[in-house]
Amino acid sequence: MTTPQRIALPGTVRTNGATPNPWWANAVVYQIYPRSFQDTNGDGFGDLKGITSRLDYLADLGVDVLWLSPVYKSPQDDNGYDISDYQDIDPLFGTLADMDELIAQAHRRGIKIVMDLVVNHTSDEHAWFQASRDKNDPHADWYWWRPARPGHEPGTPGAEPNDWGSYFGGSAWQYDETRGEYFLHQFSRKQPDLNWENPDVRRAVYDMMNWWLDRGVDGFRMDVITLISKQTDASGRLPGESGSQIPDLPVGEEGYSSPNPFCADGPRQDEFLAEMRREVFDGRNGFLTVGEAPGISPERNEHITDPANGELDMLFLFEHVDFDCEGVKWKPLPLDLPGLKRIFASYEGAVSDRGWTALFTGNHDQPRVVSRWGDDSTEASRIASAKAWGLALHMHRGTPYIYQGEELGMTNAHFTSLGQYRDLESLNAYRQRVEEAKVQTPESMMAGIAARGRDNARTPMQWDDSRYAGFTAPDAPVEPWIAVNPNHATINAAAEVDDSDSVYAFYKRLIALRHENPTVAGGDWTLIAPDDPRVYAFTRSLDGRSTGGHRVWDAERLLTVVNLSGESADLPADALALLPADDAIADGVTADRILIATGPDSEAVTAIVTGRLAPWQGFVMRL
């Protein structure tokens, strides 16, 4: 089994504005959460050898890049996003030799490896932080240290430098008795923020990145990279600090103010990213950089991903996965499809001339899309809605990211008790909102965690129907670190790989289509029927071009129509108006026009002729 050969997009096909087109313009990325992918030593945690053992599965699927969530040495307070040594592998996952073997074996199959880069913060057990606790050490200014608020006893409630709250609950400041000051942590108290204002910090980060690239990795997914530049006043004070010229925001219902407006996309963001590009990537080829970008607008995405500006290749924007809630993620709302379409249209519109976008509905921080916006209540609706959402996403312009198990239609965990959860964010949020601030009832909060908690995406990969889903041996001495979803008995790779009608088989077709079709990879994107509450419809188009008198490809226009609901729906009038007015439509002889469909092509033809879509039905046709 090998990765399908991708066509090289001709330079006359415009993708992100670079010349020649980047290799990743028609690639597909697959995200692996290592601790939940494959356990080879029976300790209940996935490992690097496990990933290597499954490379043929990934090559058969057709993906081009593997993005690994962190495998660096870590206390695992936030499942590896708290790094204590950037240049070593945590024993939980294996050794540097295991990492080298994974890189080599992936490359033999034509698959690139992208590592997670977490440099907004480190672990508080990192040597840099431990040294910074001494005010006289050269590392003293490598983190955001601040004294207690004037007039308050250090370490007591109210003495924090400002009112900022952590995204993981509680104050964003932690008092350190050794130094006698507070350090900033936007996430866990064991994840202190690095001070990127210090050039020595940046130099150390760039040296580490070069070390990994020299070792053979092919790029980085950069965790919350748009939080590295903080807004300060002329004297270097943060908003709300004593004497600061910048006022803080009011406190919210949990008793804290938000740091986001002052830490997301800060004043030196472009400068830092451009410097990183020069110091790490200039002179290298074949790499990929993608940034997790909280607080970034579509317009700023265009600037940062414009190759002329020399920053990042693409960004993950979050408006589409943050909007379907009542203020906070723990109060979910039903999907507003017209609202979602408007958000995606803003993403696509901003990069219509230059720049690029990363396409995703799931990752290690998001619930499973088939449970969130699809329907996992029956086997038939799960399969149909998994295909429908896959089709809708992959037919957009950009680079699709598949989260492990998405290609199988894996569902949310459906846990029912707090004791089943392992995620720091969910457990802290329950304590903060229910027990301390008392702003949400236990029942409402448990429903919110069940719908949106990060553990939904972190249950073990479902390889087969054995006791632990093939994630670890059925007779392993310990259970997996988090419970296997009981539905692995029916939802698993072994049952889907050879089934031509499975979700897995459909994802293989989606990936191959992007590899082979220049219109899917680089064509213009135009939304139609924006207000339809059930149907998502848009066109992709590419002009026919010639080079040196030779035709490179034929002009092509594609119509994508997907019913993203569990009820029958009419084809939108705007979509019907685009259909060819010829005898073939009337006769129903249109199967050759169907590029891909969630069901048999004949059913797509029937939908076109009758103007009626079945629940979760979708297709792509040539106009």
Side-chain angles (χ1 to χ4, degrees):
M1 292 181 285
T2 59
T3 302
Q5 294 295 312
R6 292 180 292 117
I7 65 168
L9 293 178
T12 43
V13 176
R14 189 198 64 76
T15 55
N16 70 331
T19 303
N21 283 310
W23 63 268
W24 42 256
N26 62 339
V28 178
V29 183
Y30 187 95
Q31 182 191 356
I32 289 176
Y33 197 66
R35 66 168 45 215
S36 296
F37 195 66
Q38 180 68 69
D39 172 23
T40 61
N41 61 6
D43 67 354
F45 295 90
D47 45 54
L48 292 174
K49 288 183 177 179
I51 299 171
T52 302
S53 74
R54 295 294 186 177
L55 286 174
D56 284 341
Y57 167 87
L58 297 164
D60 179 66
L61 181 60
V63 297
D64 308 281
V65 183
L66 303 183
W67 150 29
L68 307 184
S69 285
V71 292
Y72 313 93
K73 194 170 183 180
S74 166
Q76 303 295 323
D77 182 63
D78 186 26
N79 287 6
Y81 283 87
D82 50 314
I83 297 168
S84 57
D85 188 341
Y86 287 106
Q87 292 176 239
D88 200 2
I89 299 297
D90 195 282
L92 190 70
F93 302 115
T95 66
L96 277 170
D98 294 335
M99 185 69 194
D100 292 340
E101 180 66 8
L102 170 59
I103 293 169
Q105 291 296 332
H107 286 174
R108 288 192 181 102
R109 292 163 174 80
I111 299 175
K112 293 179 180 286
I113 298 290
V114 165
M115 293 187 73
D116 223 312
L117 183 77
V118 189
V119 289
N120 173 72
H121 47 264
T122 69
S123 167
D124 65 349
E125 297 183 31
H126 196 291
W128 298 344
F129 181 79
Q130 290 300 314
S132 79
R133 299 172 74 194
D134 180 351
K135 293 181 182 181
N136 297 313
D137 190 276
H139 295 82
D141 193 36
W142 281 42
Y143 296 83
W144 290 88
W145 289 101
R146 291 294 187 269
R149 199 184 305 247
H152 291 74
E153 179 69 23
T156 62
E160 296 82 4
N162 67 14
D163 293 328
W164 285 357
S166 162
Y167 298 120
F168 284 178
S171 173
W173 296 97
Q174 179 68 27
Y175 183 66
D176 181 76
E177 291 187 357
T178 298
R179 176 152 170 159
E181 291 184 322
Y182 289 84
F183 63 84
L184 174 67
H185 60 92
Q186 293 186 74
F187 297 92
S188 162
R189 65 175 180 81
K190 289 184 67 62
Q191 293 171 297
D193 278 40
L194 281 164
N195 178 14
W196 273 68
E197 299 294 319
N198 187 328
D200 292 337
V201 169
R202 305 199 300 274
R203 181 73 266 159
V205 169
Y206 304 155
D207 287 347
M208 174 268 294
M209 294 172 70
N210 276 301
W211 185 85
W212 277 110
L213 290 171
D214 291 343
R215 202 172 187 102
V217 304
D218 303 289
F220 299 96
R221 175 267 185 186
M222 302 179 186
D223 187 67
V224 294
I225 196 66
T226 53
L227 300 184
I228 60 177
S229 174
K230 278 69 167 172
Q231 185 176 352
T232 60
D233 68 9
S235 299
R237 299 184 185 92
L238 294 166
E241 270 195 86
S242 177
S244 176
Q245 298 169 341
I246 306 174
D248 200 356
L249 296 177
V251 300
E253 63 178 1
E254 295 180 15
Y256 300 98
S257 61
S258 173
N260 186 266
F262 308 111
C263 296
D265 199 19
R268 301 186 69 186
Q269 185 72 53
D270 292 323
E271 175 190 346
F272 291 158
L273 292 179
E275 180 184 70
M276 177 191 290
R277 188 78 167 206
R278 293 191 304 271
E279 296 295 321
V280 178
F281 298 102
D282 276 3
R284 298 184 185 271
N285 296 306
F287 62 84
L288 182 151
T289 61
V290 54
E292 184 185 28
I296 296 292
S297 68
E299 292 73 26
R300 285 287 291 137
N301 177 68
E302 177 192 34
H303 178 90
I304 292 171
T305 64
D306 181 349
N309 295 324
E311 298 188 32
L312 297 178
D313 295 329
M314 59 191 84
L315 295 177
F316 294 121
L317 303 186
F318 290 95
E319 186 180 359
H320 69 292
V321 290
D322 288 342
F323 87 111
D324 57 337
C325 61
E326 188 181 337
V328 296
K329 68 182 288 183
W330 312 115
K331 294 183 177 182
L333 296 172
L335 175 65
D336 169 20
L337 184 59
L340 183 70
K341 289 189 279 187
R342 285 191 291 273
I343 293 169
F344 271 112
S346 71
Y347 292 174
E348 295 283 348
V351 294
S352 60
D353 293 324
R354 58 187 181 275
W356 202 243
T357 189
L359 306 170
F360 74 99
T361 51
N363 60 31
H364 63 293
D365 288 334
Q366 300 295 329
R368 296 286 184 177
V369 68
V370 72
S371 299
R372 181 179 193 169
W373 292 333
D375 180 1
D376 66 2
S377 62
T378 70
E379 182 67 357
S381 63
R382 180 191 66 83
I383 293 171
S385 60
K387 292 179 180 180
W389 278 104
L391 182 65
L393 184 76
H394 280 248
M395 286 305 297
H396 281 74
R397 185 172 179 271
T399 296
Y401 286 71
I402 298 170
Y403 180 71
Q404 65 180 48
E406 181 182 329
E407 78 282 6
L408 303 177
M410 280 180 59
T411 73
N412 277 358
H414 300 302
F415 291 155
T416 56
S417 68
L418 196 63
Q420 293 174 286
Y421 291 97
R422 302 290 180 266
D423 178 38
L424 183 70
E425 181 191 40
S426 296
L427 298 176
N428 283 354
Y430 186 92
R431 184 189 68 247
Q432 177 72 28
R433 296 184 61 80
V434 175
E435 298 174 354
E436 296 179 8
K438 302 185 187 309
V439 294
Q440 200 162 345
T441 66
E443 296 76 15
S444 170
M445 190 66 194
M446 286 299 297
I449 294 174
R452 297 296 172 82
R454 301 192 301 179
D455 280 337
N456 283 310
R458 300 178 180 186
T459 57
M461 181 71 173
Q462 295 168 202
W463 295 107
D464 58 40
D465 63 359
S466 62
R467 182 184 182 193
Y468 296 129
F471 164 72
T472 195
D475 58 352
V478 296
E479 294 185 347
W481 72 277
I482 190 171
V484 174
N485 195 319
N487 63 24
H488 76 275
T490 54
I491 305 171
N492 60 73
E496 294 196 31
V497 165
D498 295 324
D499 179 357
S500 62
D501 195 40
S502 67
V503 178
Y504 177 87
F506 188 73
Y507 267 73
K508 282 187 67 171
R509 293 176 62 198
L510 286 173
I511 294 167
L513 188 61
R514 180 165 297 269
H515 285 167
E516 299 162 2
N517 189 296
T519 306
V520 174
D524 293 337
W525 182 96
T526 304
L527 179 65
I528 58 179
D531 296 322
D532 192 299
R534 297 178 185 171
V535 179
Y536 199 170
F538 51 86
T539 61
R540 303 292 311 280
S541 58
L542 201 62
D543 292 337
R545 302 287 176 84
S546 61
T547 300
H550 299 286
R551 177 68 67 177
V552 178
W553 71 87
D554 292 330
E556 185 174 52
R557 194 180 188 199
L558 305 177
L559 171 66
T560 297
V561 179
V562 192
N563 180 6
L564 293 175
S565 79
E567 301 178 10
S568 297
D570 292 331
L571 262 73
D574 291 348
L576 287 170
L578 298 175
L579 299 178
D582 57 25
D583 292 338
I585 291 291
D587 295 340
V589 187
T590 59
D592 61 327
R593 295 181 185 270
I594 305 300
L595 206 62
I596 188 171
T598 54
D601 290 352
S602 60
E603 293 181 0
V605 170
T606 299
I608 294 167
V609 173
T610 63
R612 191 75 174 166
L613 293 161
W616 307 112
Q617 184 180 15
F619 61 84
V620 179
M621 70 172 293
R622 291 187 176 92
L623 294 174

